[in-house]
Structure formats: structure tokens, C-alpha cells
């Protein structure tokens, strides 16, 4: 303790900064940068992250001698979540009574991104079933907000950037023409992604969103072009899947 308050203070602060818990999508974990396969810290949106939490539907459960593997799917991708089985009996008598995730149910997991045999998985500290399905939508919104905050800055900085010539226009076009809709910057998208985004935005729809085949008809794009644009928009946090992997709705934070 005595010697750690001098030159080691910076290292201590760095360790504290790394011990973060961040809500993410599975696609973000699959795309995250790992400095080394056994790294304790990953990089998402150029930020260091140690602990993550994900929410998804349990597609498969595989029980092994040393661990239980849950395969989770959140609409952006799938990943295995491994929960290690204690070698010693649980000291807590209520442990066995805790509800466990079931196949086709939804679950939330907390843990770290790991790599084993060149395959990524989450080494979970905790996994529990979801009983309030609002938590699924909340997690997606929270993950998107954190992604936009880290990649584009806080909301107030966006407003100041758009205020330079007469104020920020909510829900409309910016001064640069059709380059911004609400808080979504269209200039960073491909032409096909912009077309798909605007087709979803301008088409009256229910909460289920718009299917890729319908978007293809409305935009004149090939279906494979629409699907590729959809992947791009999901990666940017502009849309999310609803009833299936090819039906999308806008995640408009404006």
C-alpha cells in the first residue's frame, strides 16, 4: 500500500478503467478487436472493454463435465456462452433452486470474451433467464446508445455540430441536403444502405418493421444488395431485426 501511491498510481487507474461492464450485441463481440487471443481486454468502438453483458435467445444447451454451453442468438449473430461447473459442491443451498435458462427461452449473460481453438465465446460469470421481455428491447436500446456515444460522441456535441448555421433540425434534412435524418448521419452510409434506410423510414408500417423483399421492390435493388445494406445498417446501429433476421425496423433516436 505504501509504495503503490507513487509511481504506480497511473497503472492502478488504468486497471480501474479496464474493469468496465458494457452492454453489447453479439455482432459487436464477433467484430471486436482482440490484441491477443488470451487478452483480458477487447476493443469495441476504439474503447477498452473487459466485462460485457449480452441478451439473446437460447438456441442450444450442451452440458459437459466441466461446463455448460449455451448458444445465444440476438438477431445480430450467435455465440457460445460457457458457464464453468464448480468442482466443489455449492456452499449456497439456494444455488440449485435458482431458475436456469431453457432452450428457446431468453437469457442474459455477464462475462468476458474468450478465444478457444480460434473460436470466440463468452466465459460467463452469471447467466439467468429473462422473465420480463421488455428487457430484450431495453438491452438493444442501451447497447445502441453506448455504441453511438463512443463512436459519435455525446448528444450535446452532435447538437452543437449541427447548430453552426441555424440550429439542429430534428427529424429532417440537414443543411448539407439529404445527409442527416434526425441523429442518423447518412453521409457515412453506402448508397444502397441510404436507400434501404429511407425506404423503411418513409413506409407506413407496424412495430414488426419491413421485410427485405418488400424493401427490394420499393428500392429497385436486388435482394442480395438489400441484405448486404441491412447488415451495414445493423452494424451502424440504425436498424434492428424484429420478427426474423430479414425484417427490420428503424432504431431512430432522434
Amino acid at each position: 500500500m505504501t509504495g503503490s501511491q507513487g509511481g504506480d498510481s497511473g497503472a492502478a487507474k488504468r486497471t480501474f478503467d479496464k474493469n468496465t461492464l458494457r452492454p453489447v450485441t453479439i455482432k459487436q463481440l464477433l467484430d471486436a478487436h482482440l490484441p491477443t487471443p488470451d487478452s483480458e481486454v477487447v476493443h469495441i468502438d476504439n474503447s477498452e472493454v473487459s466485462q460485457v453483458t449480452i441478451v439473446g435467445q437460447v438456441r442450444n444447451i450442451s452440458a459437459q463435465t466441466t461446463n455448460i454451453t449455451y448458444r445465444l442468438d440476438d438477431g445480430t449473430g450467435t455465440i457460445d456462452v460457457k458457464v464453468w461447473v464448480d468442482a466443489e459442491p455449492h456452499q449456497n443451498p439456494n444455488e440449485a433452486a435458482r431458475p436456469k435458462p431453457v432452450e428457446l427461452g431468453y437469457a442474459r449473460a455477464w462475462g468476458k470474451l474468450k478465444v478457444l481453438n480460434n473460436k470466440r465465446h463468452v466465459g460467463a460469470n452469471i447467466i439467468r433467464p429473462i422473465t420480463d421481455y421488455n428487457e430484450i428491447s431495453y438491452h438493444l436500446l442501451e447497447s445502441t446508445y453506448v455504441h453511438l456515444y463512443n463512436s459519435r460522441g455525446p448528444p450535446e456535441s452532435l447538437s452543437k455540430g449541427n447548430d453552426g448555421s441555424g440550429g439542429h433540425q430534428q427529424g429532417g434534412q440537414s443543411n448539407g441536403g439529404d445527409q442527416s435524418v434526425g441523429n442518423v448521419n447518412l453521409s457515412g452510409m453506402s448508397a444502397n444502405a441510404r436507400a434501404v434506410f429511407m425506404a423503411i423510414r418513409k413506409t407506413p408500417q407496424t412495430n414488426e418493421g419491413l421485410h427485405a423483399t418488400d424493401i427490394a421492390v420499393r428500392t429497385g435493388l436486388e435482394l442480395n444488395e438489400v441484405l448486404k445494406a441491412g447488415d451495414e445498417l445493423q452494424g451502424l446501429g440504425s436498424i434492428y431485426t424484429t420478427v426474423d433476421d430479414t425484417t427490420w425496423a428503424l432504431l431512430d433516436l432522434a
Side-chain angles (χ1 to χ4, degrees), residues 50-69:
S50 56
Q51 300 277 346
V52 297
T53 178
I54 59 174
V55 168
Q57 187 177 36
V58 181
R59 294 297 191 181
N60 183 63
I61 301 176
S62 176
Q64 307 292 329
T65 304
T66 57
N67 68 81
I68 301 176
T69 300

Side-chain angles (χ1 to χ4, degrees), residues 100-128:
K100 300 293 191 296
V102 297
E103 288 191 12
L104 301 184
Y106 284 82
R108 177 186 285 275
W110 292 263
K112 291 188 176 184
L113 182 63
K114 303 286 186 179
V115 178
L116 180 63
N117 297 327
N118 294 322
K119 184 179 180 181
R120 298 187 177 195
H121 71 274
V122 174
N125 302 318
I126 303 173
I127 185 169
R128 63 162 175 80

Side-chain angles (χ1 to χ4, degrees), residues 195-219 223 226-227 230 233-234 239-251:
V196 170
F197 178 88
M198 295 306 297
I200 300 174
R201 183 177 180 87
K202 293 179 179 179
T203 303
Q205 58 198 264
T206 65
N207 291 334
E208 292 184 356
L210 209 59
H211 193 271
T213 54
D214 193 359
I215 298 173
V217 172
R218 295 175 185 275
T219 59
L223 181 58
V226 172
L227 295 176
L233 290 170
Q234 287 184 76
I239 64 174
Y240 65 97
T241 57
T242 57
V243 295
D244 56 42
D245 292 343
T246 53
T247 303
W248 305 308
L250 290 185
L251 190 58

Side-chain angles (χ1 to χ4, degrees), residues 10-175:
K13 184 178 184 301
R14 180 174 176 81
T15 301
F16 176 79
D17 289 343
K18 287 182 179 180
N19 290 330
T20 55
L21 175 64
R22 175 168 170 176
V24 295
T25 64
I26 292 175
K27 179 175 173 59
Q28 286 179 300
L29 292 182
L30 298 178
D31 294 343
H33 172 64
L34 279 167
T36 61
D38 58 348
S39 175
E40 289 292 317
V41 178
V42 301
H43 291 80
I44 300 176
D45 299 327
N46 295 320
S47 299
E48 292 186 350
V49 182
S50 56
Q51 300 277 346
V52 297
T53 178
I54 59 174
V55 168
Q57 187 177 36
V58 181
R59 294 297 191 181
N60 183 63
I61 301 176
S62 176
Q64 307 292 329
T65 304
T66 57
N67 68 81
I68 301 176
T69 300
Y70 301 87
R71 188 158 186 80
L72 293 191
D73 181 347
D74 70 351
T76 69
T78 59
I79 197 168
D80 287 342
V81 176
K82 295 183 181 293
V83 181
W84 298 100
V85 178
D86 292 339
E88 298 296 330
H90 289 292
Q91 297 297 321
N92 185 357
N94 296 323
E95 182 68 22
R98 290 182 181 177
K100 300 293 191 296
V102 297
E103 288 191 12
L104 301 184
Y106 284 82
R108 177 186 285 275
W110 292 263
K112 291 188 176 184
L113 182 63
K114 303 286 186 179
V115 178
L116 180 63
N117 297 327
N118 294 322
K119 184 179 180 181
R120 298 187 177 195
H121 71 274
V122 174
N125 302 318
I126 303 173
I127 185 169
R128 63 162 175 80
I130 285 178
T131 55
D132 182 355
Y133 289 97
N134 289 321
E135 187 174 350
I136 303 169
S137 300
Y138 173 80
H139 175 78
L140 178 62
L141 290 169
E142 187 179 30
S143 301
T144 303
Y145 176 84
V146 174
H147 162 69
L148 292 175
Y149 188 98
N150 285 321
S151 60
R152 302 184 186 181
E156 55 268 23
S157 67
L158 293 175
S159 298
K160 291 178 182 178
N162 289 325
D163 251 352
S165 55
H168 175 57
Q169 299 180 13
Q170 291 286 345
Q173 296 179 356
S174 68
N175 294 327

